[in-house]
């Protein structure tokens, strides 16, 4: 990673925080109406141990849910990509399921599995993030040029060889593009459950505690912490993409 790739995002974040601080100052908003970045520092100092504990709980549940989504979404995408019949059968179901607001599903899951907070949270993170992965893998495989398959088959290549040599590399750019989207979706699912569940733990529960106590600096501090975790996980995916699909990136003129 070059200096420019590090400096530009950091500069953008600094500018965003400066504009946020200036907006609160110009509008004269008190911190019980709109917290400013300078109000967040005392909140982090006061609740630092809670942020570490709750942040870890949110992170590991999100990662587990995302990993399950990757496994399930990839397998489902392969089934739809290789079979037009399965694609025609499953796409309406997937689209319909994805159209349901997950905020309405969270209370149902919380009531179905009362007391199983870790399972509930991982389940929602999985449910909200597997769709883009399945669709991207399906599109990548179903749009594979038939000429490639015909040439390899004429040379005696098996279906598994065609998959590993042609289909899988072609699908990787679409897969990692969908995985970047799935990362943020998984965090949304995790925090929805942490806020709604009566046994909630994690940053979502800490946010709900701040809301109950009208502690706006704490609430905004939680939002920034969530954004930070999302950015870290996003760049982990970017690093993996450069390792496994770096060949697909075109140099910009």
């Amino acid at each position: 990673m070059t200096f420019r790739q590090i400096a530009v995002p950091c500069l953008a974040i600094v500018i965003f925080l400066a504009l946020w601080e200036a907006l609160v100052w110009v509008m004269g908003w008190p911190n019980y109406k709109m917290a400013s970045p300078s109000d967040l520092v005392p909140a982090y100092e006061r609740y630092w141990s809670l942020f570490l504990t709750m942040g870890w709980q949110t992170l590991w549940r999100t990662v587990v849910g995302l990993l399950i989504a990757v496994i399930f979404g990839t397998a489902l995408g392969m089934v739809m990509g290789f079979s037009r019949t399965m694609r025609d059968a499953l796409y309406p179901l997937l689209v319909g399921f994805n159209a349901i607001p997950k905020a309405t599903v969270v209370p149902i899951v919380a009531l179905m599995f009362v007391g199983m907070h870790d399972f509930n949270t991982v389940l929602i993170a999985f449910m909200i993030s597997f769709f883009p992965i399945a669709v991207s893998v399906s599109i990548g495989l179903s749009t594979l040029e038939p000429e490639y398959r015909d040439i390899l088959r004429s040379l005696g290549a098996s279906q598994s060889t065609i998959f590993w040599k042609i289909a899988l590399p072609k699908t990787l750019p679409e897969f990692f593009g969908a995985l970047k989207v799935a990362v943020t979706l998984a965090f949304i699912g995790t925090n929805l459950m942490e806020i709604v569940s009566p046994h909630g733990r994690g940053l979502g529960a800490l946010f709900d505690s701040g809301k109950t106590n009208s502690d706006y600096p704490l609430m905004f501090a939680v939002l920034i912490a969530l954004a930070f975790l999302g950015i870290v996980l996003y760049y982990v995916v970017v690093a993996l993409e450069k390792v496994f699909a770096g060949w697909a990136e075109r140099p910009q003129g």
Side-chain angles (χ1 to χ4, degrees), residues 75-94:
L76 187 61
M78 290 174 62
V79 170
M80 294 190 297
F82 285 126
S83 172
R84 183 178 181 84
T85 301
M86 294 301 295
R87 186 163 63 251
D88 292 341
L90 294 176
Y91 251 115
L93 296 175
L94 287 176

Side-chain angles (χ1 to χ4, degrees), residues 21-44:
E21 184 77 30
L23 176 65
V24 174
W25 180 76
V26 169
M27 299 301 294
W29 288 327
N31 63 8
Y32 59 81
K33 184 175 183 180
M34 178 67 174
S36 65
S38 58
D39 294 323
L40 307 187
V41 177
Y44 285 124

Side-chain angles (χ1 to χ4, degrees), residues 49-243:
S49 60
L50 280 178
F51 271 101
L52 291 178
T53 303
M54 300 293 194
W56 166 247
Q57 292 177 350
T58 294
L59 181 61
W60 81 257
R61 295 190 193 102
T62 302
V63 171
V64 171
L66 184 62
L67 290 176
I68 298 173
V70 168
I71 296 171
F72 179 80
T74 302
L76 187 61
M78 290 174 62
V79 170
M80 294 190 297
F82 285 126
S83 172
R84 183 178 181 84
T85 301
M86 294 301 295
R87 186 163 63 251
D88 292 341
L90 294 176
Y91 251 115
L93 296 175
L94 287 176
V95 172
F97 175 79
N98 195 59
I100 299 174
K102 298 306 179 288
T104 62
V105 178
V106 169
I108 298 174
V109 174
L111 290 174
M112 287 177 62
F113 306 101
V114 176
M116 302 172 62
H117 178 65
D118 290 340
F119 176 79
N120 292 345
T121 309
V122 171
L123 178 60
I124 292 297
F126 154 73
M127 290 172 62
I128 203 172
S129 59
F130 83 91
F131 178 78
I133 297 173
V135 171
S136 68
V137 172
S138 171
I139 293 174
L141 294 177
S142 63
T143 56
L144 178 64
E145 291 80 355
E147 293 82 3
Y148 291 153
R149 295 180 182 177
D150 294 340
I151 292 173
L152 289 175
R153 283 172 181 167
S154 67
L155 296 174
S158 63
Q159 187 69 24
S160 62
T161 302
I162 294 174
F163 173 75
W164 288 107
K165 297 295 185 181
I166 300 296
L168 180 61
K170 182 184 182 300
T171 307
L172 285 178
E174 290 89 349
F175 168 78
F176 280 107
L179 189 56
K180 293 174 185 177
V181 176
V183 164
T184 57
L185 294 177
F187 269 106
I188 292 173
T190 301
N191 284 276
L192 280 174
M193 179 57 73
E194 289 175 347
I195 292 172
V196 172
S197 175
H199 305 285
R201 297 185 299 276
L203 290 177
L206 190 58
F207 177 88
D208 193 54
S209 175
K211 182 185 69 174
T212 302
N213 296 294
S214 298
D215 191 342
Y216 283 79
L218 174 59
M219 294 168 64
F220 278 92
V222 169
L223 295 180
I224 296 300
L226 288 171
F228 173 77
L229 291 179
I231 292 171
V232 169
L233 210 53
Y234 173 86
Y235 277 105
V236 169
V237 174
V238 170
L240 292 174
E241 181 183 25
K242 290 186 178 297
V243 172

